[in-house]
Amino acid sequence: MSSFRTLDDLGDVTGKVALVRVDLNLPMDGGSVTDTTRVEAAKPTIMELVDAGAKVLLLAHFGRPKGARNSTMSVSMTLDAVEDVLGKEVMFIPEVQGPVVAQSIGILRNGDIGLLENTRFWPGEEANDAEFAAGIAANADFFVNDAFSAAHRAHATTEGLARILPAFAGRAMEKELTALEAALEKPEQPVAAVVGGAKVSSKLAVLENLVGKVQHLIIGGGMANTFLAARGVDVGKSLCEHDLTDTANAIMDAADHAGCTVHLPYDVVVSKEFSANPASLRVCNVHEVAEDEMILDVGPQAVEALGDVLKTCKTLVWNGPMGAFETEPFDDATVALAKTAAALTIGESLVSVAGGGDTVAALNHAGVAQDFSYISTAGGAFLEWMEGKELPGVTALKK
Ligand code: ADP
Ligand code: MG
C-alpha cells in the first residue's frame, strides 16, 4: 500500500467537480505546441475521471507571467493540443475562481472537461496564498495532483489546494512516486548512482545526499574532472572547478565513512579542440593528459569496469551524461553504459531510474530510454528529489 492517496481511493465521483493539476507548460514555437508528451502523461488521469462521470477542471501554469494577466501566456494556447491528445472537446474558462468558473461548471455535463486559465496570472499562486487557494477550492469537490514536475514548489495549486480539499495523486504522479521510492527510499541493494554532467557546483547537494544512500557512486562528465583534480591529477584544459577541489575531497571522505565506493575514470578521451571527430582525439590514462588537452569523455576501459559494477547492483539512479554526448564521438561512454544498464534492466537484474533534461536526451540518443524501468522528465523536481529534499506537493498528498 502506498503512503499517499490515489484515484483508487476516490469512491463514486459522478457529477462531482475535480480540480486536476497538470503540467501544460508545453514547449512552443511561435504560437504552436511542438511537443505534447506532458499532455500524454496526464491523459490516463483525466480520462479515468471523465469515464467515472466527474466534471474535470484542469489547472496549470504556463510560462512566467509573474502574477499578472498576459495574453502571450494564456493556457488557451495549449487548448488545441490538449483536445487533440484527449480526443475530446475541452471548454476554456478564462478564470480560476469566482462566478465565471461556477457558471461554466453549470454548463459542463458529467464527464466534460474545462481548462482553467494560467494559475500564475494571480500572485496568490506562487505566494501559496490561502485565500486564493480557498477561492479555487470553493467551486470543487476534490483535488488531484498529476504534476510531479511542479511538486517541488509550494504553490497554491501544487500544495495549498491539497490542504483544503480531499487530495489524491493522479496516475502519472503515482507512477513517478512509486518509481522514485523503489530507487532511493526503499531500494534493493546494492544501489549505484551515476552522476555526470557539466559541473560539480550544480549538483553538490545531489552528491552529498547520495554518498549516504548508495553503495557505488559513479562520477562522470565534466564534474569528474574536479574530483580528479582534487586527487592531484593534472586535467589540462578540461572543464574543471578548481575552487571546488576541497569540496570534492570532503565528498570523497564522507563517502569513505559511509561505505560508499566512489568510481572515477582511470582512462579518458581527450582532444585539443572541442569539435566532432577532431584530429587530436586520443584515449589516455588520466595521468597522461597534456597541458593543452581537454577531457571530453570517460575512456573505454573505465566504461567496461563501470558496466561490471552495474552487474553487481540491483538498483541504479542516473543523472547526468558521462561525456559531452552532443558531439561525436564523446557520446561513446554514455551510450555504452546506458546500453549496459538497459540490458540488465531487460534481464530483470536491475531497477533503473533516470532523470534530467540532458540525461533523458542522452538516453534517447542511445536508443534505450524505453528499456529503463522509469525515466523522469520532471527536471527540477527530480533533482530536488535526488538531493533528498521533501517535495511540498508530494508531502501534501501523504495520508
Ligand atoms: P542534466 O540536464 O541531465 O541534469 P547536466 O545539465 O548537468 O545534465 O549536464 C549535461 C551537460 O554536461 C551536457 O551538455 C554535456 O555536454 C556536458 N558535459 C558532460 N561531460 C562533459 C565534459 N567532460 N566536458 C564538458 N562538458 C561536459
Ligand atoms: Mg541540463
Side-chain angles (χ1 to χ4, degrees):
M1 216 183 68
S2 63
S3 53
F4 45 89
R5 276 189 296 260
T6 71
L7 299 190
D8 296 326
D9 301 307
L10 264 176
D12 185 15
V13 298
T14 314
K16 298 238 172 94
V17 177
L19 283 168
V20 184
R21 182 60 158 92
V22 291
D23 183 351
L24 291 182
N25 209 11
L26 309 181
M28 307 284 290
D29 187 11
S32 51
V33 171
T34 56
D35 185 79
T36 57
T37 308
R38 287 169 167 171
V39 191
E40 306 274 0
K43 184 176 176 179
T45 295
I46 297 168
M47 295 317 285
E48 192 172 331
L49 292 167
V50 163
D51 292 341
K55 298 184 179 186
V56 179
L57 298 181
L58 304 179
L59 274 171
H61 74 270
F62 187 59
R64 296 179 182 276
K66 300 197 170 132
R69 273 193 195 269
N70 181 331
S71 60
T72 68
M73 291 181 218
S74 171
V75 166
S76 63
M77 295 172 81
T78 69
L79 186 63
D80 287 350
V82 171
E83 288 185 325
D84 276 354
V85 171
L86 299 180
K88 215 174 137 47
E89 209 179 298
V90 175
M91 178 200 262
F92 177 66
I93 303 166
E95 299 285 342
V96 292
Q97 55 170 292
V100 172
V101 177
Q103 281 156 20
S104 303
I105 291 168
I107 297 166
L108 292 175
R109 295 155 304 176
N110 295 351
D112 279 353
I113 306 170
L115 173 60
L116 301 178
E117 185 52 287
N118 190 344
T119 56
R120 290 191 183 168
F121 279 5
W122 292 272
E125 167 70 337
E126 291 180 69
N128 198 7
D129 181 68
E131 232 174 280
F132 176 66
I136 302 173
N139 286 311
D141 296 301
F142 64 97
F143 172 63
V144 174
N145 191 346
D146 213 23
F148 177 82
S149 58
H152 56 316
R153 313 252 187 247
H155 291 173
T157 66
T158 63
E159 201 269 354
L161 283 175
R163 304 248 164 244
I164 303 172
L165 290 169
F168 306 85
R171 294 302 180 198
M173 174 73 89
E174 178 185 351
K175 244 168 110 179
E176 180 109 23
L177 295 180
T178 306
L180 298 189
E181 268 180 18
L184 270 192
E185 274 150 58
K186 307 174 229 164
E188 279 206 60
Q189 296 186 342
V191 185
V194 171
V195 183
K199 289 184 172 179
V200 173
S201 52
S202 65
K203 292 185 184 170
L204 264 184
V206 170
L207 295 164
E208 283 163 355
N209 180 44
L210 288 177
V211 292
K213 292 211 166 144
V214 306
Q215 285 69 50
H216 296 278
L217 177 60
I218 295 170
I219 300 179
M223 68 170 62
N225 303 335
T226 301
F227 281 83
L228 290 169
R231 289 220 172 142
V233 170
D234 188 345
V235 297
K237 265 199 326 175
S238 304
L239 175 68
C240 178
E241 293 168 288
H242 290 283
D243 55 326
L244 284 180
T245 51
D246 286 347
T247 309
N249 275 321
I251 289 169
M252 289 190 278
D253 286 346
D256 261 355
H257 281 291
C260 165
T261 307
V262 176
H263 300 267
L264 292 173
Y266 45 81
D267 63 335
V268 285
V269 182
V270 298
S271 161
K272 287 182 185 160
E273 65 272 28
F274 184 24
S275 60
N277 304 302
S280 59
L281 183 87
R282 68 183 189 108
V283 175
C284 68
N285 182 282
V286 288
H287 295 289
E288 292 161 355
V289 178
E291 215 174 275
D292 57 349
E293 286 178 324
M294 284 174 275
I295 301 171
L296 291 165
D297 200 11
V298 171
Q301 283 186 43
V303 171
E304 207 178 309
L306 294 174
D308 289 339
V309 171
L310 294 190
K311 283 175 195 149
T312 69
C313 291
K314 294 227 165 69
T315 305
L316 165 69
V317 303
W318 184 330
N319 170 259
M322 302 300 284
F325 76 100
E326 300 93 335
T327 309
E328 283 187 18
F330 308 114
D331 57 338
D332 280 355
T334 305
V335 169
L337 198 62
K339 284 189 170 161
T340 302
L344 293 169
T345 308
I346 291 169
E348 292 187 1
S349 68
L350 189 72
V351 169
S352 53
V353 172
D358 293 296
T359 308
V360 176
L363 297 180
N364 279 322
H365 168 73
V368 298
Q370 71 289 344
D371 299 327
F372 271 59
S373 310
Y374 190 78
I375 299 275
S376 175
T377 54
F382 179 82
L383 267 188
E384 288 200 18
W385 167 77
M386 277 191 86
E387 291 171 0
K389 285 198 188 138
E390 276 215 30
L391 309 185
V394 172
T395 306
L397 293 177
K398 291 243 165 87
K399 278 181 183 155

